[in-house]
């Protein structure tokens, strides 16, 4: 009797606030991202990949559980920030790392957690064997001090023990991940979740330690520019290149699935062309994210038009490992592997979003998108009209009403936003009370959310 095939390793890389066109392979022309461009050439480049939310911790709930974040109390906070010790990812909830660990994987998270604070929540309570990184949503790149409301001098941990490191955080994470990969062998499959904080604010490049130490407010409203942002993205690209090289040196690249994506759309200095909107907005620029996948043993290089969303990764990666989601916690995502393997054509999806600011609602069904911001409602064909300018609600009233009803029915299945605490005291700056398609997407909140 032959042995079953070895399950693939998984390296899942998440950038923070990376915009749709911040990589040269997606359209950036002000600088180059050669390592991520090479990853794209070697694997799958997605053209219709979405995040589960327009902010980060909500998307991270969806990533780790494979479900709409609004099924969980912590997913209502959008994002978790100073929400106290009682809001986070319940340790009893099955997760991608816990399901893989039960199947024999060793698991590690290096980087950002942002799914609840110690002592009640944390990576080691939710399926990871090892953790190195930050628990909160943001830390300074050189001082490693945390963001608003945190009571620790620095938010840098090894498992549940505070540690110190010297250097630029993006590079520190690359070094930790590379060292982890060099310790792995073909004897046991592994999941490495590598969650960078770059290029999230504060706006500090790898040569800007003096700037870092002068910052008093990590929101950094008085800092940053396109040149600095470019340095941050190039540093991220170099870090990914270092990690991929470590995987090659360990002789494990061929049967390792590598995924690269972002937790939501870009921020102040990001490039989102051809989309409008950005982080905190349910316009395409706030939701569409650059996404790459490489699995040399099984997948040929390709550009995929398959519509996908963050919560698809749990069923897709479990399927690649010959596993299924927990029967008591069925995934809201779908296994997209058949489309990538050429076993079936890309299929249309129906996806839902909501966001507390401006009462935003959105549905994408096939090529069509229903969008509501304040009292303004729209119907767009986002394949033809990528910039969401032509409101077709009057031309297609039946489709418009159907999508509106679909969103209401979906919303009834989710926890109500009224249960959210919103105790972190952050309210978006409102530039305009009404969304006007002819303007740029930047009409909802000038400042960032604390994610």
């Amino acid at each position: 009797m032959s042995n079953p095939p070895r399950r693939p390793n998984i390296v899942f890389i998440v950038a923070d606030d990376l915009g749709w066109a911040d990589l040269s392979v997606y359209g950036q022309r002000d600088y180059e991202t050669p390592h991520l461009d090479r990853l794209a050439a070697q694997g799958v480049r997605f053209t219709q990949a979405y995040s589960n939310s327009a902010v980060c911790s909500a998307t991270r709930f969806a990533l780790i559980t494979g479900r709409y974040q609004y099924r969980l109390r912590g997913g209502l906070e959008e994002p978790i920030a100073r929400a106290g010790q009682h809001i986070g990812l319940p340790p009893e909830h099955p997760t991608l790392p816990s399901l893989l660990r039960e199947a024999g994987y060793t698991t590690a998270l290096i980087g950002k957690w942002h799914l609840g604070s110690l002592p009640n929540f944390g990576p080691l309570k939710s399926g990871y064997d090892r953790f190195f990184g930050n628990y909160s949503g943001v830390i300074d790149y050189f001082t490693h001090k945390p963001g608003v409301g945190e009571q620790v001098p620095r938010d840098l941990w090894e498992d549940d023990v505070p540690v110190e490191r010297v250097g630029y955080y993006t590079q520190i994470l690359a070094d930790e991940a590379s060292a982890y990969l060099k310790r792995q062998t073909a004897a046991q499959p592994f999941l490495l979740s590598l969650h960078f904080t770059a290029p999230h604010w504060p706006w500090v490049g790898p040569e800007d330690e003096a700037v870092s130490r002068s910052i008093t407010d990590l929101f950094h409203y008085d800092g940053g520019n396109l040149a600095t942002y470019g340095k941050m993205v190039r540093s991220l690209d170099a870090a990914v290149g270092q990690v991929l090289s470590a995987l090659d040196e360990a002789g494990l690249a061929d049967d390792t699935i590598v995924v690269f994506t972002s937790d939501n759309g870009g921020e102040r200095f990001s490039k989102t062309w051809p989309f409008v909107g950005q982080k905190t907005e349910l316009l395409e620029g706030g939701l569409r994210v650059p996404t790459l996948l490489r699995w040399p043993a099984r997948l040929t290089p390709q550009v995929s038009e398959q519509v996908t969303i963050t919560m698809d990764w749990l069923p897709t990666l479990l399927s690649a490992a010959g596993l299924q989601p927990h029967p008591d916690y069925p995934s809201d995502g779908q296994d997209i592997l058949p489309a990538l393997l050429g076993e079936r054509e890309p299929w249309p999806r129906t996806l839902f979003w909501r966001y507390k600011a401006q009462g935003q609602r959105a549905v994408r069904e096939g090529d069509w998108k229903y969008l509501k911001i304040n009292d303004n409602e729209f119907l767009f064909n986002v394949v033809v009209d990528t910039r969401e300018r032509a409101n077709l609600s009057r031309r297609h009233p039946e489709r418009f009403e159907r999508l509106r009803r679909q969103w209401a029915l979906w919303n009834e299945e989710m926890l109500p936003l009224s249960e959210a605490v919103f105790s972190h005291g952050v309210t978006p700056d409102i530039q305009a009370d009404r969304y006007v398609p002819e303007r740029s997407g930047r009409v909802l909140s000038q400042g960032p959310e604390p994610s």
Side-chain angles (χ1 to χ4, degrees):
M1 181 175 177
S2 62
N3 293 325
R6 185 184 183 277
R7 289 173 168 141
N9 308 309
I10 301 167
V11 176
F12 200 100
I13 307 172
V14 182
D16 201 336
D17 292 0
L18 187 73
W20 173 256
D22 282 339
L23 307 182
S24 42
V25 72
Y26 277 93
Q28 179 57 255
R29 296 293 176 263
D30 296 331
Y31 54 82
E32 294 184 348
T33 52
H35 301 289
L36 286 162
D37 294 354
R38 189 177 308 115
L39 182 65
Q42 294 170 342
V44 182
R45 179 170 66 87
F46 290 88
T47 63
Q48 300 195 74
Y50 287 92
S51 59
N52 256 74
S53 175
V55 289
C56 64
S57 63
T59 294
R60 292 164 199 268
F61 273 99
L63 171 61
I64 201 168
T65 66
R67 310 174 81 208
Y68 279 113
Q69 60 271 24
Y70 302 116
R71 296 192 184 279
L72 292 159
R73 172 64 189 78
L76 303 180
E77 289 303 307
E78 297 182 318
I80 290 179
R82 287 194 294 167
Q85 295 183 355
H86 304 293
I87 299 175
L89 175 62
E92 66 274 13
H93 195 296
T95 63
L96 177 62
S98 73
L99 293 168
L100 289 172
R101 187 168 69 177
E102 289 173 5
Y105 279 69
T106 182
T107 59
L109 170 61
I110 295 176
K112 178 173 172 175
W113 166 246
H114 206 197
L115 292 174
S117 303
L118 292 171
N120 295 325
F121 310 102
L124 302 187
K125 299 177 185 294
S126 290
Y128 288 107
D129 298 315
R130 181 177 184 271
F131 170 60
F132 176 91
N134 56 302
Y135 276 91
S136 66
V138 60
I139 64 173
D140 181 83
Y141 284 90
F142 281 99
T143 67
H144 312 140
K145 63 185 178 183
V148 178
E150 300 294 334
Q151 303 302 314
V152 294
R154 69 189 63 82
D155 184 19
L156 194 57
W157 304 76
E158 191 160 359
D159 295 336
D160 54 3
V161 178
V163 295
E164 293 189 43
R165 292 288 191 278
V166 175
Y168 188 65
Y169 194 43
T170 303
Q171 186 60 51
I172 290 172
L173 296 180
D175 291 343
E176 290 287 334
S178 299
Y180 175 84
L181 290 174
K182 291 175 181 178
R183 293 193 298 269
Q184 304 310 305
T185 69
Q188 183 180 18
F190 62 85
L191 164 68
L192 170 60
S193 298
L194 176 55
H195 296 183
F196 289 99
T197 60
H200 193 293
W201 43 267
W203 314 111
V204 176
E207 307 300 325
D208 296 335
E209 185 170 358
V211 174
S212 177
R213 296 190 180 280
S214 71
I215 293 172
T216 57
D217 181 356
L218 292 194
F219 288 121
H220 212 183
Y221 290 112
D222 59 349
N225 50 55
L226 289 174
T228 298
Y229 186 78
K231 293 176 184 177
M232 296 172 74
V233 177
R234 290 201 304 272
S235 175
L236 171 67
D237 177 70
V240 172
Q242 176 181 325
V243 170
L244 296 178
S245 293
L247 195 61
D248 289 335
E249 292 169 14
L252 298 170
D254 187 61
D255 202 22
T256 296
I257 298 171
V258 177
V259 179
F260 176 89
T261 189
S262 180
D263 57 355
N264 47 250
E267 239 254 34
R268 273 169 274 184
F269 300 110
S270 180
K271 182 176 181 179
T272 60
W273 181 267
F275 308 120
V276 293
Q278 62 180 42
K279 179 179 177 179
T280 75
E281 300 172 345
L282 299 188
L283 294 151
E284 293 291 287
L287 294 171
R288 199 85 72 100
V289 288
T291 300
L292 309 171
L293 182 154
R294 187 187 74 182
W295 187 10
R298 296 288 307 277
L299 296 178
T300 58
Q302 60 190 276
V303 176
S304 177
E305 300 291 331
Q306 176 63 56
V307 175
T308 187
I309 191 169
T310 309
M311 61 189 177
D312 291 341
W313 289 116
L314 181 141
T316 299
L317 295 174
L318 289 180
S319 173
L323 304 170
Q324 297 290 331
H326 194 290
D328 295 337
Y329 297 83
S331 176
D332 294 311
Q334 295 182 9
D335 172 14
I336 62 168
L337 203 54
L340 307 181
L341 292 170
E343 296 173 354
R344 62 176 291 191
E345 292 297 316
W347 60 91
R349 301 290 299 279
T350 301
L351 305 173
F352 299 89
W353 295 269
R354 70 186 190 191
Y355 187 66
K356 63 180 183 289
Q358 277 72 31
Q360 296 178 73
R361 305 176 180 182
V363 183
R364 174 163 176 176
E365 181 191 60
D367 295 348
W368 295 87
K369 180 177 177 182
Y370 163 79
L371 176 68
K372 181 176 181 181
I373 303 176
N374 289 321
D375 295 326
N376 303 280
E377 295 178 284
F378 308 89
L379 179 69
F380 300 116
N381 183 319
V382 291
V383 173
V384 175
D385 177 23
T386 55
R387 291 187 63 76
E388 296 173 282
R389 299 300 192 185
N391 185 3
L392 303 176
S393 58
R394 293 183 180 178
R395 186 174 294 186
H396 300 278
E398 293 182 0
R399 185 186 300 273
F400 174 76
E401 291 296 336
R402 181 167 53 79
L403 293 181
R404 175 200 269 176
R405 288 194 302 270
Q406 277 187 270
W407 186 93
L409 291 172
W410 166 82
N411 190 53
E412 290 177 2
E413 298 179 5
M414 303 296 122
L415 294 176
L417 280 174
S418 60
E419 292 188 15
V421 174
F422 303 146
S423 61
H424 40 72
V426 176
T427 303
D429 272 338
I430 307 304
Q431 177 180 334
D433 290 331
R434 300 182 66 83
Y435 169 66
V436 181
E438 286 72 22
R439 300 177 186 172
S440 72
R442 192 71 238 129
V443 298
L444 296 180
S445 56
Q446 288 287 2
E449 290 265 351
S451 57

